[in-house]
Amino acid sequence: MISRRLIASRSPFQQIGRSPMRMAIRRSTNNTTTTTAKDAAKKSETIAAKPSSSSTTSSAAEESTKSFAESNPFIFQLGVATAKTSAADIMVQVVVEKKKWNEIDLKRNGIFVVFGFAYLGGFQYWLMVNKFNKWFPTRARFATLTLGEKLKDTAGMIDALKMVAFDVFVHLPLIYFPCYYTCKEIVTGTSWNPLVWMKDGVTKYWNNKEEDCLAMIKLWGPSDCIQFSMPIHISMPFRHLVSFFWTAYVSFTRGGSNEEDNKLKRTLSVSGDSAKIEK
């Protein structure tokens, strides 16, 4: 009886062989283990979210090896377009027309500065880079291929031919020339009415359309075939380089404000880099 009472008087913890102290130790140990596991998981997530120093260094190295033209294609070609357009007109005035430096027609040169900056550097980049990439989706991929791979890429070649056709038959005759002649009227015209600028500019273009469009096809047809197969950050500066000779032609034949009074018959070679005057 006494032994039974002693067994019954034992606490529940003693009956199952566990003391309160042992339970508390085990609970604290479990809590510590859980906290440590959570901290480790958070650290691993943080490490995974942060880029490694090696990847950051490699990306920085790649950026440092890029040229300014490749890193800033729009700004680079904008400067090239503005500078070369002004330089081409000055070259024609000094070399071809035999003017002295103090006789340079700054108002005429201003036409080309404004036109080179706004149209050639601004609008033309928007058209031939932003819009062409959407209209002709194979362009970016086609530009990175080798010559042999390009010849096997039927879809890319078709898109390249479409870009050439759009430039020669839509952009240049229907947008470029009317804008140039209108810009010329803004600078050299006597009226302040924008409608008069457009009317007089388009009228002068219409009178010269056959000569202008023929010269345009001879020069821009072949050069477009090269341009639209080049990487984008190179294609626009290449176009501006070719445009140097084209601007010289336009300056020589259409740059003056008194074309009819000059009574000069001007012809340009197919390459666009030499001209001949006949009175």
Side-chain angles (χ1 to χ4, degrees), residues 48-61:
K50 291 182 179 180
S52 63
S53 59
S54 60
S55 62
T56 305
T57 305
S58 61
S59 61

Side-chain angles (χ1 to χ4, degrees), residues 43-243:
K43 288 182 180 180
S44 63
E45 290 177 358
T46 304
I47 294 173
K50 291 182 179 180
S52 63
S53 59
S54 60
S55 62
T56 305
T57 305
S58 61
S59 61
E62 290 177 0
E63 288 293 330
S64 63
T65 56
K66 288 184 179 180
S67 63
F68 180 80
E70 191 173 0
S71 302
N72 306 274
F74 174 73
I75 296 176
F76 178 75
Q77 65 86 36
L78 184 65
V80 172
T82 305
K84 67 87 190 174
T85 308
S86 176
D89 175 60
I90 292 176
M91 182 196 72
V92 170
Q93 293 194 51
V94 174
V95 177
V96 180
E97 299 177 4
K98 306 298 182 182
K99 290 183 179 180
K100 297 180 180 179
W101 285 98
N102 58 358
E103 296 176 345
I104 292 177
D105 188 346
L106 297 179
K107 192 175 183 180
R108 162 179 159 179
N109 188 256
I111 302 173
F112 292 95
V113 172
V114 173
F115 190 74
F117 178 85
Y119 187 92
L120 301 180
F123 172 79
Q124 200 167 239
Y125 183 91
W126 171 82
L127 176 66
M128 295 191 170
V129 175
N130 297 346
K131 303 309 293 184
F132 273 23
N133 285 345
K134 294 181 180 180
W135 297 341
F136 311 105
T138 64
R139 183 188 182 187
R141 175 183 56 78
F142 185 74
T144 60
L145 301 178
T146 63
L147 180 59
E149 292 172 338
K150 283 184 172 69
L151 295 176
K152 297 177 182 179
D153 189 349
T154 305
M157 292 183 67
I158 291 175
D159 272 356
L161 292 175
K162 288 179 180 178
M163 287 186 282
V164 174
F166 183 91
D167 188 38
V168 173
F169 297 110
V170 178
H171 168 231
L172 291 173
L174 301 182
I175 304 176
Y176 168 83
F177 275 121
C179 288
Y180 167 74
Y181 278 96
T182 301
C183 183
K184 179 183 173 183
E185 289 301 314
I186 294 174
V187 179
T188 62
T190 57
S191 174
W192 290 96
N193 189 343
L195 295 178
V196 174
W197 299 337
M198 296 177 62
K199 179 183 177 182
D200 292 347
V202 172
T203 300
K204 290 182 178 179
Y205 166 54
W206 185 257
N207 294 333
N208 301 323
K209 65 182 184 302
E210 294 180 1
E211 181 182 356
D212 287 346
C213 290
L214 180 61
M216 174 265 296
I217 293 173
K218 289 180 178 179
L219 179 63
W220 288 112
S223 68
D224 278 354
C225 295
I226 300 174
Q227 176 193 345
F228 295 129
S229 63
M230 302 174 72
I232 294 174
H233 71 280
I234 301 176
S235 65
M236 291 307 295
F238 171 79
R239 185 177 183 88
H240 296 322
L241 176 63
V242 177
S243 182

Side-chain angles (χ1 to χ4, degrees), residues 217-279:
I217 293 173
K218 289 180 178 179
L219 179 63
W220 288 112
S223 68
D224 278 354
C225 295
I226 300 174
Q227 176 193 345
F228 295 129
S229 63
M230 302 174 72
I232 294 174
H233 71 280
I234 301 176
S235 65
M236 291 307 295
F238 171 79
R239 185 177 183 88
H240 296 322
L241 176 63
V242 177
S243 182
F244 178 87
F245 301 109
W246 174 254
T247 303
Y249 162 75
V250 174
S251 172
F252 185 52
T253 58
R254 306 288 179 249
S257 58
N258 298 317
E259 298 171 16
E260 296 180 357
D261 295 338
N262 291 335
K263 294 182 180 179
L264 297 177
K265 181 180 179 181
R266 303 175 177 98
T267 59
L268 186 75
S269 65
V270 175
S271 62
D273 59 356
S274 62
K276 177 182 178 182
I277 300 178
E278 296 178 1
K279 293 185 179 180

